Amino acid sequence: QSLVKQYAKLLKYKNNCAVAYARNGACGACGFVIRPQVRIEIQQRNKINYCENCGRILMEKFEDL
């Protein structure tokens, strides 16, 4: 339930853009460089990771195979 509230808050305050892709080691929304440990955590997909700068949820971009 709290996750849904966090997502709704992000949508409200981040101009309907609550999720950003991690691109080339940086946040796709604000360009902030993601620490190496956070990059590994994003790839493992065990928990929700947030950008340390803009607060958006970070996701790994899936490449077409």
Side-chain angles (χ1 to χ4, degrees):
Q1 199 175 38
S2 65
L3 178 62
V4 174
K5 287 181 182 179
Q6 285 178 318
Y7 183 75
K9 201 181 280 188
L10 281 170
L11 282 175
K12 181 179 178 182
Y13 294 111
K14 298 296 181 182
N15 202 19
N16 290 331
C17 182
V19 179
Y21 287 116
R23 295 183 182 163
N24 299 323
C27 173
C30 70
F32 187 77
V33 177
I34 302 167
R35 292 183 293 123
Q37 180 60 38
V38 176
R39 287 186 211 173
I40 293 169
E41 291 173 358
I42 292 169
Q43 290 173 347
Q44 290 175 341
R45 299 184 204 127
N46 291 331
K47 68 175 193 172
I48 296 173
N49 292 285
Y50 298 91
C51 175
E52 295 173 341
N53 185 50
C54 69
R56 289 181 174 90
I57 299 169
L58 290 173
M59 289 185 59
E60 180 182 24
K61 188 169 183 177
F62 299 106
E63 299 296 325
D64 296 333
L65 299 177

